[in-house]
Amino acid sequence: MVVCEGRQQVRSRAPEGAQAGGRPRTGRQQLDQRRTGRSMSQLTVAVLGTGIMGSAMARNIAGAGHAVRAWNRTISRAQPLADDGIEIAPTATAAVEGADVVITMLFDGSAVAEVMRETAPAMRPGAAWLQMTTVGPDDVAVLAAIAESAGVLFYDSPVSGTRQPAESGTLVIMTAGPASGRELVTPVLDAVGSRTVWTGEDGASAASTRLKLVVNSWVIAVSNAAGEIVTLAKAIGVPPAQFFEVLDGGGLDLPFLRIKADLVERGALSPANFAVDTSGKDAHLILELAREAGLRLDGMEAFSARLDRVADAGHAHEDMAASYLAGFSTSTKTS
C-alpha cells in the first residue's frame, strides 16, 4: 500500500511473524509472501559495515535472492556471514566494484566519508548508494557530494529499529533520493524493512537524517526513563511489576518501555540491541542540531551526559539501557 501525503510517501506492509519453531522468516521468504507479480532480477549488493545492523541486513538481502558482498574494517567480524553464502570482500573497494547497490552501515559520518572517498570512484556509474548510518545533516552534505563526484545515485536512508527488527527484516527505513533509482533500490529496501517512508527526492537535503534524529531523541528519552523508573522503584521499595500493573493497557503503557525496563531488571545488557556508545553519538548529533535551530533540550543534555558517564565507566558496548547505572555513585552496579 502506498499512502501519499503531499511530498511524502509511505510504503507499508503488514509485519510477518516467525516460522514454525520460532525462527524469523528470511528476507527471501518475506518477499515470496508479498510478491505482487513484479518480476525481480538478482542484484549485486555490497554491505560496508557488518556490526549488529549490517550483518542482519546482509543476511536478509542474501535471503531475498541477491548476491551480497560484505566488508568490515575488522575482517574477522564479517567472516561468519560466509556461512550464509555471502562473499567476504578483502577491501571496501573490492566489495563495491560492479555492485548495483551499496549500503553503508558504519559508526558515524567520519567513518563513512573516509571509506567512501576511497571506494565510491570504484562504483559503476548509475549504481545506487543507500547511506544507512546515522549521521548529522552536515555529514549528509559531504557524503552526497562524494556520490555526485563518483556519478552514483545517493539515498539518505537511515533506519529505525534495533537488533530484532534488523534480524527479522522489519526495520522502518526513512529515505530520500532520486525517483529515477527507486526501482533499483526498492528490492533491497523490501528485504531489510517492513516500511519505507520517502521524505523527498533529494538525498543531499538530509530530510531523512533529520527525521531519524527526531525519532532517536524519543528512543533515547524512553530508554533513559525506563532505567530511572526501575532503579527508583527498587530503591524506595516498590516492585517494578506494580508500576507496570498501573500502566497496563492504558495510554501510558509502551512496549519499548517494558522491553528496556526488563533489560534493566534482569541486568541483560549484553549483547546490545542499541549500544551506549552508538546512542551517545546520536545524542550529541541531536544536541548539535538543536543548537543550530536555537533550541536548548535540557532533557537530552542530561541523557547525553548520563550516556557519556556510563561509557567512560566501561559500559560503552552494553545496551543503552545501561544508562541507569549513571544513577549510582560509581556507575558499576550491575542490577
Side-chain angles (χ1 to χ4, degrees):
M1 177 179 69
V2 177
V3 180
C4 298
E5 299 177 357
R7 292 177 59 85
Q8 176 174 293
Q9 292 184 339
V10 180
R11 176 190 52 77
S12 66
R13 69 172 187 268
E16 290 87 359
Q19 288 178 280
R23 185 175 180 179
R25 293 188 176 99
T26 65
R28 165 45 107 190
Q29 289 164 330
Q30 291 171 357
L31 282 171
D32 286 344
Q33 290 193 359
R34 65 177 183 270
R35 294 184 74 172
T36 60
R38 177 172 57 86
S39 62
M40 183 188 73
S41 59
Q42 185 187 63
L43 299 172
T44 298
V45 181
V47 178
L48 307 183
T50 59
I52 293 170
M53 306 296 285
S55 290
M57 289 177 177
R59 288 190 174 99
N60 279 318
I61 296 166
H66 303 293
V68 179
R69 302 176 193 148
W71 171 83
N72 197 73
R73 195 181 301 275
T74 303
I75 201 69
S76 61
R77 296 180 182 174
Q79 202 60 50
L81 293 171
D83 294 337
D84 298 280
I86 294 169
E87 178 184 347
I88 308 304
T91 65
T93 298
V96 307
E97 286 178 340
D100 301 296
V101 179
V102 172
I103 290 174
T104 45
M105 183 53 81
L106 301 166
F107 181 72
D108 59 14
S110 296
V112 177
E114 179 184 353
V115 170
M116 293 306 290
R117 282 193 181 99
E118 179 179 346
T119 60
M123 292 175 62
R124 68 170 182 79
W129 171 12
L130 293 172
Q131 201 308 101
M132 293 184 154
T133 307
T134 302
V135 301
D138 291 343
D139 296 314
V140 173
V142 171
L143 301 177
I146 293 172
E148 183 177 12
S149 66
V152 300
L153 304 177
F154 179 77
Y155 291 83
D156 176 29
S157 304
V159 303
S160 178
T162 53
R163 180 188 296 270
Q164 191 281 326
E167 291 176 348
S168 62
T170 56
L171 295 166
V172 177
I173 307 159
M174 294 151 276
T175 306
S180 60
R182 286 194 185 185
E183 185 175 355
L184 175 62
V185 299
T186 292
V188 179
L189 299 174
D190 282 348
V192 302
S194 62
R195 287 190 292 134
T196 298
V197 178
W198 287 93
T199 63
E201 295 186 12
D202 181 11
S205 72
S208 291
T209 282
R210 294 174 193 276
L211 175 57
K212 171 63 187 291
L213 293 175
V214 171
V215 171
N216 271 17
S217 68
W218 171 242
V219 170
I220 292 169
V222 174
S223 184
N224 275 276
E228 290 191 343
I229 288 163
V230 172
T231 52
L232 173 64
K234 286 185 172 182
I236 63 175
V238 174
Q242 288 184 348
F243 164 75
F244 284 107
E245 185 177 357
V246 173
L247 265 59
D248 195 26
L252 296 175
D253 199 358
L254 300 173
F256 187 73
L257 175 64
R258 288 179 177 268
I259 290 169
K260 292 301 182 183
D262 179 65
L263 294 181
V264 171
E265 194 164 10
R266 294 188 294 110
L269 303 175
S270 295
N273 289 303
F274 187 13
V276 167
D277 60 351
T278 308
S279 56
K281 177 261 296 183
D282 292 356
H284 285 287
L285 290 174
I286 292 163
L287 288 173
E288 182 179 345
L289 193 60
R291 284 192 290 269
E292 290 175 358
L295 300 177
R296 177 166 181 174
L297 304 181
D298 292 324
M300 185 56 64
E301 288 179 9
F303 300 154
S304 177
R306 289 171 67 85
L307 290 165
D308 288 346
R309 290 207 303 276
V310 295
D312 291 343
H315 303 279
H317 301 300
E318 295 177 3
D319 192 89
M320 65 187 297
S323 63
Y324 85 93
L325 294 168
F328 299 95
S329 59
T330 62
S331 293
T332 57
K333 187 176 175 62
T334 58
S335 177

